[in-house]
Amino acid sequence: MCLAVIPRSLSEAVLTHESSQQVVVIGTGYVGLGTVALLAHLGHRVTGLDIDAAKIEQLRRGEVPIYEPGLASLLAQQADRVHWTTDYAVVAQADVIFICVGTPPGPGGAPDLEFITGAAVGIAPHLSDRSQVLVNKSTVPIGTGDFVQRLLEEHSPHFDETRHFVVSNPEFLREGTALGDSLYPDRIVMGGAPEGVARLTALYAPLIEQTFAPPAETPRPESYLRPGVVGTTLQSAEMIKYAANAFLALKISFANEIAGLCERVGADIQEVATGIGADARIGPRFLQAGLGWGGSCFGKDTQGLISAGREYGYPMPILQAAIDVNYRQRQVVIEKLQRHLKTLKGKRIAVLGMAFKPNTDDLRDAPAHDLIQRLHAMEASVVAHDPVAMPRARREWPHLTYTEAPDPASALRRADAVVIATEWDEYRGLDWPALLLTMRRPLIIDARNVLRSPLLAQIEQFGREGPSSPAETVHP
């Protein structure tokens, strides 16, 4: 099947086919829960399935195990259409089955397909003798769709390639804005046999035509019309996901590399980014200099492409450079602290922000993790705060040594420096002049470039000239 952008004039038969369908979503992480909420809001009957019984019990009580703005409310509103289970037997009644499980990096950077394999093997015995579509939303190596189909053939007594279709439908969600990205996407990519793509198109008809009523918490943007719909092959759909994330990672690392030179020549990275981002061929998004990316996608997916290239004897040096620049940024923060404080031994350093980005509690590959770890290794005393992620950090970062602060003011009190590691709006709105008076030294390492004048003389940012001399004022 060749790449094709499916036009607005979709056939009436496709758009009205089984307007309310029975859906099973396997995996209840960020992607899975968002998919459950979206499809239930579109009017489908959805069962969320996970092998973690404790998580399923939590969801049955109405407790959402992750933080994502608006998600808990939307799931509560659709409670009559949503059910939760650990039993794969529900697959037998499903029209469409989504796989939304994790694919963490394995040795050498290649994604670990353990959970994909487990999901496919769990599904296979319960496939029915009628038409069903199996949709992979997980980020997977190119060729995984064929791999999943082989697993179904080997483990299902009912598998028939004329009735059971494997489709790749990668997600393009940003944590913190996942509901808006789901309800009003730029594009929907579907790869697989034409029959499978048509069935999935029917499921998504209210989304494609934007005929659903927007949730009160996530209104439809005024300028938004409808998503582009791309139909292609399994392999191309899988590649689109990897290539999109790798390109965004490249933009961030490019901005950070230019920022380093800006500091040395007296240019301002934000002015430079505005100037080059005004070019329609480049665009302004993902040109923010600072501490670099974190999370579960950019690093893993970029490394996944490099690993795929290595498998075929095809080096990808540009992507490797993007990774190298990104992780270098974490050391740049340490170097800025050393330039002002000289030795870090015995210094009190406040770290504001622990999640890898604002509006989420996700700590995966969070830059703050590396900062805390490195600062402790240099015998600094670390005090950390995050508006949302501290409870999760207690569970996931027991190996780190730091003190929790109940609020930003407590974190900064008698600190020798503060590092802004996550661009929470809460930190932008702090009374910084007053807080600086409570610190031993008025030194801010603004690793997300969120603060503005008149504090610039006391701030070290990325891609901008720092203070002409180290912050020496010591408050009692």
Side-chain angles (χ1 to χ4, degrees):
M1 180 179 178
C2 296
L3 179 72
V5 177
I6 300 176
R8 182 177 178 84
S9 57
L10 290 164
S11 72
E12 195 67 23
V14 168
L15 285 178
T16 60
H17 176 68
E18 294 181 326
S19 58
S20 179
Q21 300 189 43
Q22 185 70 44
V23 181
V24 171
V25 176
I26 300 170
T28 57
Y30 287 92
V31 176
L33 290 176
T35 301
V36 169
L38 168 69
L39 294 175
H41 187 72
L42 296 182
H44 302 296
R45 294 154 290 155
V46 187
T47 299
L49 188 156
D50 202 295
I51 60 174
D52 186 337
K55 186 184 286 189
I56 290 299
E57 285 303 317
Q58 187 178 5
L59 287 163
R60 285 172 175 165
R61 293 193 301 269
E63 301 170 7
V64 179
I66 60 172
Y67 178 82
E68 179 65 38
L71 179 60
S73 174
L74 189 57
L75 285 171
Q77 293 169 31
Q78 303 301 328
D80 59 333
R81 291 196 183 103
V82 175
H83 297 87
W84 307 101
T85 187
T86 59
D87 189 353
Y88 272 95
V90 295
V91 165
Q93 305 304 316
D95 300 300
V96 184
I97 305 129
F98 283 83
I99 296 179
C100 302
V101 298
T103 53
D112 185 343
L113 297 183
E114 174 189 357
F115 301 118
I116 292 283
T117 301
V121 171
I123 290 166
H126 303 287
L127 289 177
S128 70
D129 56 3
R130 58 194 177 85
S131 181
Q132 294 178 297
V133 181
L134 190 146
V135 183
N136 181 36
K137 289 194 79 70
S138 300
T139 303
V140 294
I142 296 86
T144 300
D146 294 326
F147 170 67
V148 168
Q149 183 165 321
R150 296 293 88 75
L151 289 173
L152 297 178
E153 290 176 354
E154 292 170 6
H155 294 87
S156 174
H158 298 294
F159 181 82
D160 184 335
E161 62 183 9
T162 67
R163 294 196 309 267
H164 300 110
F165 306 102
V166 177
V167 176
S168 175
N169 173 220
E171 52 82 19
F172 300 98
L173 310 180
R174 298 166 297 168
E175 291 180 32
T177 60
L179 284 187
D181 294 341
S182 296
L183 293 162
Y184 318 112
D186 295 326
R187 76 288 202 197
I188 299 171
V189 175
M190 297 177 284
E195 297 90 337
V197 170
R199 290 285 304 277
L200 187 56
T201 301
L203 184 81
Y204 281 148
L207 182 65
I208 294 169
E209 294 299 324
Q210 289 289 298
T211 55
F212 64 89
E217 300 87 347
T218 315
R220 185 178 287 114
E222 289 186 11
S223 60
Y224 186 80
L225 296 176
R226 68 194 300 274
V229 182
V230 179
T232 184
T233 62
L234 273 170
Q235 293 81 3
S236 291
E238 291 164 348
M239 178 63 88
I240 286 168
K241 169 63 176 179
Y242 268 123
N245 276 355
F247 186 76
L248 296 177
L250 281 169
K251 286 189 75 173
I252 295 170
S253 285
F254 176 79
N256 276 326
E257 191 155 90
I258 295 299
L261 187 57
C262 283
E263 290 185 22
R264 288 158 175 80
V265 303
D268 186 314
I269 185 57
Q270 291 186 294
E271 294 174 359
V272 172
T274 298
I276 65 175
D279 187 326
R281 297 169 299 175
I282 298 172
R285 298 172 67 186
F286 292 89
L287 287 176
Q288 289 73 36
L291 195 48
W293 75 70
S296 64
C297 294
F298 285 175
K300 176 175 70 71
D301 295 352
T302 305
Q303 189 61 57
L305 270 182
I306 293 171
S307 177
R310 189 184 305 123
E311 198 176 320
Y312 289 89
Y314 186 73
M316 306 189 80
I318 294 176
L319 297 185
Q320 184 59 57
I323 291 175
D324 294 342
V325 169
N326 186 68
Y327 290 104
R328 182 182 68 188
Q329 296 304 102
R330 303 179 186 191
Q331 182 59 31
V332 170
V333 172
I334 302 298
E335 292 168 359
K336 288 179 180 291
L337 287 168
Q338 288 176 315
R339 184 160 64 248
H340 289 277
L341 303 179
K342 307 309 179 187
T343 178
L344 299 183
K345 183 175 182 177
K347 300 296 194 300
R348 176 183 167 107
I349 310 297
V351 175
L352 296 185
M354 301 168 79
F356 85 92
K357 63 179 293 187
N359 299 317
T360 181
D361 62 349
D362 196 345
L363 299 170
R364 287 175 290 183
D365 195 24
H369 176 280
D370 285 5
L371 292 180
I372 293 170
Q373 191 172 55
R374 295 181 195 195
L375 288 168
H376 175 68
M378 301 177 80
E379 299 186 65
S381 174
V382 181
V383 183
H385 174 268
D386 190 283
V388 169
M390 288 195 294
R392 188 165 177 175
R394 288 179 212 132
R395 300 191 302 270
E396 297 185 10
W397 290 358
H399 54 286
L400 295 184
T401 301
Y402 64 93
T403 301
E404 284 187 5
D407 51 63
S410 300
L412 268 64
R413 192 172 297 120
R414 295 189 60 77
D416 293 283
V418 56
V419 179
I420 301 176
T422 311
E423 58 273 36
W424 285 95
D425 284 342
E426 177 176 339
Y427 300 150
R428 285 187 173 93
L430 292 174
D431 184 354
W432 283 99
L435 288 174
L436 289 174
L437 295 175
T438 71
M439 297 176 64
R440 285 178 54 81
R441 293 173 176 81
L443 175 60
I444 305 170
I445 307 298
D446 181 6
R448 295 299 184 182
N449 286 7
V450 298
L451 302 183
R452 300 292 180 266
S453 59
L455 297 172
L456 289 178
Q458 302 164 91
I459 296 176
E460 271 276 1
Q461 295 185 311
F462 282 70
R464 291 174 147 181
E465 285 188 285
S468 57
S469 59
E472 296 176 348
T473 304
V474 178
H475 298 293

